[in-house]
Amino acid sequence: MTNGTDENKDRTDGDHVDRLRRQWARELPDLDTEPMTILGRAFRLTNLVRPSIEETFAGFGLDRGEFDVIATLRRSGPPYRLTPTEMYSSLMISSGGLTHRLDRLEKAGLIRREKALHDGRSVLVALTEAGKTLAEEAFRADMASEARFLQALDGQEREALAGLLGKLIAGIEIELAPARRET
């Protein structure tokens, strides 16, 4: 166990990832841990903010997955309807996982399932007015919460970081695309 002085010293010597890298450098000095400076921090960042994001959605009676469904419908634009296939492709979840979420959201009156006009066997998922309102309110609260986490960076730093992360993600998506097509 460390005392408060040790914790303060560690904070002035960098962040959590810097501490991990120093430990690995001591144990495996021949290993380049530079990838941790980005991917380790991205993982750490996600773990740090996830509870706050989940708490925000819980305040609206939603879990993260339920919010993702109504947000996907809301950002699709009028008439706020998508096929289940369009939804689970966008959400990157299984059709079974989506069905479970849709059942809960329909029971709550936030979405409804409608027969497609062009094909009576097909179903469309439509956002209700209550779902539209809740999606907007929850998203506004989430963005306000997330903005507080970014206060350590000024506008130019946020723009630069967002651009670099976008470039990194695009490169990773290109590299992983052949593997996804094979599965």
Side-chain angles (χ1 to χ4, degrees), residues 98-117:
L98 177 62
T99 299
H100 183 66
R101 291 177 188 175
L102 294 179
D103 290 343
R104 291 191 318 251
L105 292 167
E106 189 170 38
K107 189 179 229 182
L110 301 174
I111 61 113
R112 67 180 171 274
R113 293 175 173 116
E114 304 173 346
K115 288 195 183 272
L117 296 176

Side-chain angles (χ1 to χ4, degrees), residues 57-117:
F57 296 140
F60 291 91
L62 300 167
D63 66 26
R64 176 69 188 251
E66 293 164 340
F67 171 77
D68 286 345
V69 169
I70 64 172
T72 296
L73 288 165
R74 176 59 183 93
R75 72 175 179 265
S76 73
Y80 312 112
R81 277 187 219 122
L82 295 170
T83 67
T85 301
E86 290 170 324
M87 294 192 69
Y88 76 75
S89 296
S90 174
L91 295 166
M92 296 189 318
I93 60 172
S94 70
S95 60
L98 177 62
T99 299
H100 183 66
R101 291 177 188 175
L102 294 179
D103 290 343
R104 291 191 318 251
L105 292 167
E106 189 170 38
K107 189 179 229 182
L110 301 174
I111 61 113
R112 67 180 171 274
R113 293 175 173 116
E114 304 173 346
K115 288 195 183 272
L117 296 176

